[in-house]
Amino acid sequence: NVILQNVKKVYKNGQEEVVALKGISLEIEKGSMVALMGPSGSGKSTLLHIIGGVDFPTEGKVLIDDQEINKFDDKTLSKFRNHNIGFVFQFHYLLPEFTALENVMLPIQIKGEKNPEKKAEEILTKLNLLHRKNHKPAQLSGGEQQRVAIARAIANNPSLLIADEPTGNLDSQNAKNVIILLKELNEKNKMTIIIATHDVEIAKYCQYIYFIRDGMLVNVEKV
Amino acid sequence: NVILQNVKKVYKNGQEEVVALKGISLEIEKGSMVALMGPSGSGKSTLLHIIGGVDFPTEGKVLIDDQEINKFDDKTLSKFRNHNIGFVFQFHYLLPEFTALENVMLPIQIKGEKNPEKKAEEILTKLNLLHRKNHKPAQLSGGEQQRVAIARAIANNPSLLIADEPTGNLDSQNAKNVIILLKELNEKNKMTIIIATHDVEIAKYCQYIYFIRDGMLVNVEKV
Ligand SMILES: Nc1ncnc2c1ncn2[C@@H]1O[C@H](COP(=O)(O)OP(=O)(O)OP(=O)(O)O)[C@@H](O)[C@H]1O
Ligand SMILES: Nc1ncnc2c1ncn2[C@@H]1O[C@H](COP(=O)(O)OP(=O)(O)OP(=O)(O)O)[C@@H](O)[C@H]1O
Ligand SMILES: [Mg+2]
Ligand SMILES: [Mg+2]
């Protein structure tokens, strides 16, 4: 499960201070699938980065399966993330010098699993991308890059998947394929899934929607 | 106006050949506002890059106001684009070392117009971003970066604006603000506007929707 206790995030640029998160507390049950919605600039990416251990809170605690991950050292956090967390970034951050297939294989190889190539091909197939496996990111469309990022994030069958606006660059058919695949992973593999999205049609596939505005949780709705 | 005559685009990677555009012909009247829709990977970005002189066709002609831009030399094309074309890229490509304000001022300064700072601030205000003008791209949310890219593209009041999925990272309110602003520019300044989008709600603000699939124009609908 994911527990946040009074998480604050303040960005300091010289004199200016931006309070991106103003004290967020929440608990997401293990195996649930939730959406995070809110205006542009409201704090979604900041919140997801802190949950996923990609960034640290200025104040407050982040507990994943009762472990306070914001206290881990680099090495422990890195291993924890590789084994337990899959992250789809808002601007995907694929490695530009590697092909789609290699990008998806990388986390599998880091974990030390066998048959990384076969596993990576299976996931790319589920995202309708096998025909592009040998393309580098610059040779892929925007939506194809986004789908490779999704494939990479689920490659290790993480217990927690964090997806930051994973369908913004996809047409409705591809977007639907993605959310149906995620729902399947949630139901079959009990993967906890947190999705930031601007698309209420995507949010409807989740069990709860968390609404954020100006760095504060303003509402939680059961779908 | 924009005229394409049998435009083809083939990407060669060693042995592999990808035919991204299979012979596209179209004519977009000066001062019209059109949408381009189609599945992920269907060729929208490729088509927009060729129209905007960011890329070149393998075969065929691109005429903007009766000038064959795919024949221009670098210097002429660069000047033509700075004076006449605004481009919002799918992954914005803001200059990371400059602030939002500086990124928007740059095309105005290149053109040699006076009061670049004042003009840039006016446009940022229209996109609800004045409070972020001194932030560099890494200090902006995904949707804020997208809006800075839009501001930069319209800074020189181009006669042709090309926007590649400009609202994918925006909540519905911000997306609406953007499309309403573009419609205003189209009606008041007679700006020709071509928008690739996956969102039919955005496409409805245009006069025509061009549908592309597998690199071919399959339909044009009047809205
Ligand atoms: N440099 C390249 N080499 C090989 N294939 C390429 C290259 N660039 C793009 N492609 C392929 O060309 C096709 C069209 O790409 P394009 O970026 O135009 O699609 P798109 O319609 O913009 O998609 P999206 O909605 O995902 O942004 C894609 O299938 C892509 O894989
Ligand atoms: N490094 C930084 N320094 C200062 N302010 C920052 C920094 N990073 C983000 N911000 C600000 O924090 C706020 C929250 O950003 P965040 O990326 O979490 O928003 P978001 O909800 O993901 O928005 P979007 O829907 O546009 O992606 C934004 O207003 C942004 O300008
Ligand atoms: Mg974001
Ligand atoms: Mg594209």
Side-chain angles (χ1 to χ4, degrees), chain A residues 16 39-42, chain B residues 92 94 99-104 120-137 139-152 154 166 169-171 174 177-178 181:
Chain A
E16 191 198 7
S40 173
S42 55
Chain B
H92 59 77
L94 298 173
T99 63
L101 183 64
E102 290 164 340
N103 264 283
V104 179
E121 288 194 343
E122 281 172 21
I123 303 168
L124 285 173
T125 304
K126 287 198 177 153
L127 286 148
N128 298 323
L129 280 176
L130 198 66
H131 65 307
R132 292 285 182 260
K133 66 175 182 175
N134 293 322
H135 286 227
K136 295 204 177 82
Q139 300 162 336
L140 293 170
S141 78
E144 289 167 343
Q145 291 170 7
Q146 197 166 32
R147 283 180 277 153
V148 175
I150 294 166
R152 181 179 68 171
I154 61 179
N169 286 289
L170 301 180
D171 53 280
N174 271 298
N177 288 349
V178 164
L181 171 62

Side-chain angles (χ1 to χ4, degrees), chain B residues 40-88:
Chain B
S40 172
S42 55
K44 299 178 298 298
S45 295
T46 304
L47 181 58
L48 295 186
H49 283 210
I50 286 173
I51 294 174
V54 178
D55 194 7
F56 299 94
T58 312
E59 280 183 46
K61 293 185 183 181
V62 185
L63 297 116
I64 295 184
D65 294 339
D66 305 319
Q67 301 182 63
E68 210 173 321
I69 67 156
N70 52 305
K71 291 268 153 68
F72 285 0
D73 61 58
D74 282 356
K75 206 151 169 283
T76 312
L77 181 60
S78 191
K79 188 169 178 214
F80 184 88
R81 293 185 55 222
N82 174 255
H83 282 240
N84 300 304
I85 302 179
F87 207 116
V88 187

Side-chain angles (χ1 to χ4, degrees), chain A residues 88 92 94 104 123-124 127-129 131 141-154 166 169-171 174-175 177-178, chain B residues 39-42:
Chain A
V88 187
H92 57 77
L94 297 174
V104 178
I123 303 168
L124 284 173
L127 285 148
N128 297 322
L129 281 176
H131 66 308
S141 80
E144 290 168 345
Q145 290 169 7
Q146 198 165 31
R147 282 180 277 153
V148 174
I150 294 164
R152 181 180 66 173
I154 60 179
N169 286 288
L170 301 179
D171 54 279
N174 271 299
N177 289 348
V178 164
Chain B
S40 172
S42 55

Side-chain angles (χ1 to χ4, degrees), chain A residues 45 90 164-165, chain B residues 142:
Chain A
S45 295
Q90 192 164 358
D164 197 352
E165 297 186 37

